[in-house]
Amino acid sequence: VGDYAFVAAGEAGLRVISVADKSSPTEVGLCNTPGYAHDVHMLGNYAYVADEWGGLRIISVVDKSRPMEVSFYDTPGYAYGIHAVGDYAYVADRHKGLRIISIYDASNPVEVGSFDTTSPYRAQAVHVVGDYAYVADGSDGLRIISVADKSNPTEVGFCDTPGYAHDVHVVRDYAYVADGESGLRVISVADKSNPLEVGYCNVPGSAVGVHIAGNYAYVAAGEAGLHVISIVDKSNPMEVGYHST
């Protein structure tokens, strides 16, 4: 965000890194969390951290050198993924599915709704676009959940990917799923009730994270590094670059 990267650093909590000088990123602040910081989403002056057994942690980053926790919500499962939009935080809470938490008052987050996904222990990540939450649900693939009524979220469609859905990023009519040993899967979500896979690209190792920017998917594959995949042709995504990490 701007000149800063906010990193969910596992047992090391939230780390704030200045990337003003791209050739020499420098840590400028940190905030320890009680659990294992697995994911982070920025919204306004707050970092929303999915902290596994530590639940949802809300951290003020007004002062980048001294980020401070202002509140938390102890989700019933293990907070693995987080997406904050407007007045709500959507948490992929492993065996407790999707949790919807009001963050209208950042000092007092309150759960307003939930949906138990079909796969126990496996709600890994969530991406919210409009009235829909797209959940990477482990061995049960991609689940599409209507969140128009926050108090009563309802599944409207699913696509059972061949691998283990670790992460998802949605852009317009397509969901891009990091599907473990089955690589990157491209799924049309134009019809929410009937999502269909339209293409895929295998990567070495296990695809555990994905982010879309422009015509490229950036896929994190654990020890197999970072893979850059062109998605210009959705039916035939092609790897164009790689970096060993």
Side-chain angles (χ1 to χ4, degrees), residues 203-224:
V203 298
S206 180
V208 295
V210 58
H211 188 86
I212 307 301
N215 290 322
Y216 298 94
Y218 297 84
V219 177
E223 294 180 357

Side-chain angles (χ1 to χ4, degrees), residues 3 21 57 72 89 92 108 114 124 126 128 130 133 144 148 183 200 217 219-220:
D3 288 335
D21 181 353
R57 319 304 294 195
F72 70 93
N108 184 35
S114 65
Q124 302 280 312
V126 58
V128 178
I144 303 178
Y200 69 92
V219 177

Side-chain angles (χ1 to χ4, degrees), residues 55-240:
L56 170 66
R57 319 304 294 195
I58 303 179
I59 298 170
S60 170
V61 293
V62 171
D63 182 349
K64 306 295 188 294
S65 66
R66 294 186 62 192
M68 300 286 290
E69 181 172 286
V70 296
S71 64
F72 70 93
Y73 182 80
D74 188 10
T75 59
Y78 293 88
Y80 240 58
I82 175 75
H83 195 170
V85 182
D87 291 334
Y88 298 93
Y90 301 82
V91 178
D93 205 35
R94 293 283 276 179
H95 63 290
K96 291 298 184 179
L98 176 69
R99 320 304 294 192
I100 303 176
I101 299 166
S102 171
I103 51 173
Y104 176 79
D105 180 355
S107 66
N108 184 35
V110 178
E111 183 173 296
V112 296
S114 65
F115 181 83
D116 288 335
T117 54
T118 59
S119 181
Y121 302 100
R122 294 184 175 94
Q124 302 280 312
V126 58
H127 192 170
V128 178
V129 179
D131 286 333
Y132 298 94
Y134 300 81
V135 177
D137 201 37
S139 59
D140 278 340
L142 175 69
R143 321 303 294 193
I144 303 178
I145 300 167
S146 170
V147 292
D149 180 353
K150 305 294 187 290
S151 66
N152 186 34
T154 305
E155 181 170 282
V156 296
F158 71 92
C159 181
D160 190 4
T161 57
Y164 190 99
H166 286 275
D167 196 13
V168 58
H169 194 156
V170 179
V171 179
R172 292 186 288 279
D173 287 335
Y174 296 93
Y176 301 85
V177 177
D179 202 38
E181 294 182 356
S182 293
L184 175 71
R185 318 305 291 195
V186 183
I187 299 169
S188 170
V189 293
D191 180 354
K192 306 294 186 291
S193 66
N194 187 34
L196 296 172
E197 181 174 299
V198 296
Y200 69 92
C201 181
N202 289 321
V203 298
S206 180
V208 295
V210 58
H211 188 86
I212 307 301
N215 290 322
Y216 298 94
Y218 297 84
V219 177
E223 294 180 357
L226 174 69
H227 297 263
V228 183
I229 299 171
S230 170
I231 52 173
V232 172
D233 181 354
K234 306 293 188 289
S235 66
N236 188 33
M238 300 285 290
E239 183 170 316
V240 296

